[in-house]
Amino acid sequence: MDEQPEPPRRASSVARGSNRGRLVEVLRRQGPLPRVELARSTGLSFAAISAITSRLIAEELLCEAETDAGAATSWPDDTDEEDADGPNGRRRGRPAVLLTLNPEFGRIIAVSLRMNLIETLIADFSGSGLAQSRLALTTRALDADALCDLMIAQIDAMLDATATPRHRLLGIGIALQGIVNADTGRHLWSPALSVTDIDLAKPMRQAFGVEVVMANDAVAVALALAAAEPALAQGLSATIMVGHGVGMGVVVDGEARWGAGAGSEIGHVKLA
């Protein structure tokens, strides 16, 4: 596997499953929250939340949102006399400072490649979509080079449409209708393409200098739903997609059950 140079970008250093990652996922799912609610939602201690959020603010991943005047902080250190209980048992403490993801920290590109359609979306760091394109064409007529050139051109168009400098691009995700080798991210077969066993991620890495991940589209949707709905990240859940064939993504405790290689692929079953 070729060694890739360090991409010239701002690395977020937010690893999925880490305490930092858990905090970011909660904010992306629930929106702006005070530190006390972040502690409750993540299960982390107040001290841990204070330390992590301070670092993330210094790194510009987080910023302060408008103060929620209707909520008062119950942070353990807020022991001033003005924080005593008021009428009706409501706390009269200082208004809670809401923390939110800094949308300008970076941008993410998502590409969906399926039969006769390529969709490209760019989102800010908070997960809000900024621009989207739909390109209808005969995908099976494309060879590997033409397909990669087309995807690169679509991504460039998204960056231009949103005035996003390349160093603000944090990563690219590709969802492919078909079989993807989970160990290498290599495309093995797709009903949407006539070419097989090609690496679609490497040209993207070379063109943009960022991390590129690729997955079966049903698995990608299953992971997205599990991230958006915490209940789906507990235990076993499955997502079935019906379109040009049938595909299924399986998630166990918030993680995709890939199997060995393409072992989890059970879709595209022909019916008489």
Side-chain angles (χ1 to χ4, degrees), residues 36-119:
V36 65
E37 292 299 333
L38 281 172
R40 291 172 181 153
S41 297
T42 61
L44 299 174
S45 68
F46 295 121
I49 288 293
S50 182
I52 293 171
T53 55
S54 294
R55 288 195 297 270
L56 294 180
I57 289 173
E59 296 171 16
E60 300 182 4
L61 273 82
L62 299 187
C63 59
E64 293 184 356
E66 292 185 7
T67 301
D68 184 359
T73 179
S74 56
W75 207 249
D77 292 335
D78 295 333
T79 55
D80 296 342
E81 184 177 347
E82 64 178 356
D83 291 336
D85 288 344
N88 303 319
R90 290 181 59 84
R91 198 163 172 80
R92 295 199 315 253
R94 293 182 295 274
V97 175
L98 301 181
L99 296 181
T100 187
L101 298 177
N102 177 10
E104 296 305 314
F105 178 76
R107 305 284 167 81
I108 302 293
I109 293 282
V111 180
S112 173
L113 175 56
R114 55 191 189 274
M115 180 66 75
N116 297 334
L117 184 64
I118 300 176
E119 288 187 291

Side-chain angles (χ1 to χ4, degrees), residues 7 36 47 104 128 147 188 266:
V36 65
E104 296 305 314
S128 298
L147 177 60
L188 299 179
I266 66 168

Side-chain angles (χ1 to χ4, degrees), residues 159-228:
L159 296 178
D160 290 342
T162 55
T164 300
R166 285 200 175 201
H167 72 272
R168 291 279 178 177
L169 182 60
L170 300 176
I172 299 170
I174 303 173
L176 173 68
Q177 182 182 30
I179 300 176
V180 176
N181 187 306
D183 300 320
T184 64
R186 191 178 182 89
H187 151 60
L188 299 179
W189 173 85
S190 170
L193 302 174
S194 59
V195 292
T196 59
D197 195 19
I198 59 174
D199 190 340
L200 297 177
K202 184 176 179 180
M204 303 297 112
R205 294 190 193 101
Q206 293 174 335
F208 298 100
V210 297
E211 180 181 1
V212 180
V213 295
M214 187 167 70
N216 169 269
D217 56 354
V219 175
V221 169
L223 287 170
L225 290 174

